[in-house]
Amino acid sequence: MIERPPEANGDLARNRLGDSRLRDVEWIAETTSTNADLAARARTGAEEQVLVADHQTAGRGRLARRWASPPGAGLLVAVLLRPGVEPEHLPLVTLVAAVAGVGAAHDLGAADVTLSWPNALVVPPGDRYRKVAGVLAAAVAGPTSPAAVVGMGCNVDLPPGFSVPRGNDPISLAELLGAPPDRADLLVRYLERLAAGVAELERHGPGPVVEAARTRMWTLGRDVAVTDGGERVPGRATGLDDAGRLILETSRGRRVVAAGDVLPEGEPS
């Protein structure tokens, strides 16, 4: 993996992003949580911006799980967005970011990376169910327009034997590609796709976003188990509705799930 000082990575990303709406990139050595940092800025009315850290001491995933990554081993990025969309469409930023992450991995040659609803980038069964990246987004109230802070943690080059307690087995892009990619290059590809996805949501509403997720999603057409509100629900994932919620056909009929953990049926939870 190409190693540069954080400031040099930030300069490179800004130069390549040109006049993108996400060109305001700050890359630092360490923080507690990039998501928490940008949420605090969003509450003061800060404009769209990007924060990357080589290391987080208190990174979080869904359901208050810890996102663990050794210093410099991943791309840890949060983006403050102020999309011009109706408030009810703001949660779709999670899908936009997840699709952007899958696209960036494909750009680099990691064609096996796919999307597991609602927010995980995985290499699916057949090569075991292993997690490449996770996306975590939250709406943030402030004095100006509604904001969303969306974070992504992507495994770029994990040390041998690295594991995550209470999580899916991790896999890195270096393992998939045979060599670690340049993190600055990965960031630029991700931000370009994220900016394009947000613009699509602003121009055309949820339809294209949900369709893009459908075409990249491993989950659909599979027998899965969804943990929804503490209840484990097995069924077949048959689609996404217009709000990006998972449609699950169960032994008791159709169920629409707004949020939850999804595993292949038969995998331990």
Side-chain angles (χ1 to χ4, degrees):
M1 181 163 57
I2 298 173
E3 293 291 346
R4 302 184 192 90
E7 298 83 359
N9 274 326
D11 288 342
L12 178 60
R14 286 189 295 273
N15 289 337
R16 284 189 51 188
L17 286 163
D19 60 356
S20 167
R21 68 190 289 171
L22 301 181
R23 63 187 176 277
D24 185 1
V25 175
E26 179 184 4
W27 196 312
I28 60 177
E30 183 175 290
T31 189
T32 52
S33 164
T34 54
N35 272 37
D37 289 348
L38 286 195
R41 296 180 193 180
R43 286 190 286 270
T44 70
E47 295 302 314
E48 293 188 326
Q49 57 189 273
V50 180
L51 180 62
V52 188
D54 285 339
H55 183 51
Q56 293 182 130
T57 59
R60 288 288 181 265
R62 289 187 68 249
L63 305 177
R65 296 190 182 104
R66 181 168 180 256
W67 180 271
S69 181
L75 178 64
L76 310 175
V77 52
V79 182
L80 166 54
L81 293 165
R82 294 194 179 277
V85 299
E86 297 298 325
E88 62 266 25
H89 295 160
L90 206 57
L92 286 165
V93 167
T94 298
L95 280 183
V96 173
V99 168
V102 171
H106 289 186
D107 288 343
L108 295 172
D112 291 336
V113 175
T114 184
L115 176 57
S116 177
W117 185 92
N119 70 329
L121 278 62
V122 302
V123 175
D127 185 19
R128 291 190 296 159
Y129 187 85
R130 304 181 69 184
K131 191 168 184 177
V132 180
V135 173
L136 182 66
V140 182
T144 58
S145 59
V149 172
V150 55
M152 183 179 73
C154 181
N155 300 323
V156 176
D157 190 16
L158 297 175
F162 181 80
S163 63
V164 179
R166 296 175 57 241
N168 302 113
D169 288 341
I171 189 170
S172 70
L173 290 175
E175 189 173 344
L176 292 170
L177 297 171
D182 183 340
R183 288 184 299 152
D185 182 38
L186 174 61
L187 174 69
V188 170
R189 293 173 186 269
Y190 169 66
L191 292 178
E192 288 175 339
R193 286 182 170 272
L194 179 59
V198 172
E200 185 82 356
L201 179 62
E202 290 172 330
R203 287 194 302 266
H204 302 296
V209 170
V210 174
E211 183 58 30
R214 288 188 185 111
T215 62
R216 291 160 176 80
M217 189 166 288
W218 163 85
T219 315
L220 301 185
R222 307 278 181 166
D223 292 324
V224 299
V226 179
T227 302
D228 180 18
E231 179 187 5
R232 186 176 184 274
V233 183
R236 173 155 288 199
T238 58
L240 298 178
D241 70 7
D242 291 342
R245 297 174 299 184
L246 186 67
I247 300 170
L248 196 67
E249 298 292 345
T250 78
S251 59
R252 297 183 178 181
R254 175 171 294 189
R255 183 160 176 167
V256 179
V257 183
D261 281 351
V262 177
L263 285 172
E265 178 64 339
E267 292 256 341
S269 58

